[in-house]
Amino acid sequence: MKGGQAAYPGKFSKSEPILENGVTLVSMRPILEKLDVKVNWDEAIQTVSGAKEGLSFSIQIGSIDAIANGKAVKLEAAPKLIQNVT
């Protein structure tokens, strides 16, 4: 960590990581797409979901409640939408 920003090689996107209350928020889509995860965005309910090889997830902007492989989980921080980037 340097100046509140996480340094990492080989950037996935133009969005810089954000450190907020001890949690580092990063752009999800570029990382997931690099891992060949099929990513879906539902604008109406502000939800990102994805799946690959029997694994799945669903998170909603502003909520710490998420679904991972069909089970409810709590996130340390709620996902955010910043300049149209999740």
Side-chain angles (χ1 to χ4, degrees):
M1 301 291 287
K2 184 164 121 181
Q5 298 290 318
Y8 55 96
K11 284 189 168 191
F12 290 104
S13 77
K14 294 178 183 177
S15 300
E16 292 293 325
I18 297 170
L19 183 61
E20 187 171 277
N21 298 322
V23 176
T24 303
L25 303 174
V26 297
S27 299
M28 287 181 50
R29 181 178 290 274
I31 295 168
L32 293 170
E33 287 178 346
K34 196 76 162 165
L35 296 169
D36 294 323
V37 175
K38 183 176 180 348
V39 179
N40 299 302
W41 168 249
D42 186 330
E43 178 71 31
I45 58 173
Q46 300 272 293
T47 299
V48 176
S49 60
K52 180 182 177 183
E53 299 172 2
L55 303 174
S56 65
F57 74 93
S58 178
I59 61 171
Q60 186 173 33
I61 301 301
S63 175
I64 62 167
D65 297 315
I67 303 293
N69 299 326
K71 297 181 182 178
V73 295
K74 294 281 185 192
L75 303 173
E76 288 186 36
K80 291 185 169 199
L81 189 61
I82 301 171
Q83 298 178 353
N84 292 325
V85 176
T86 308

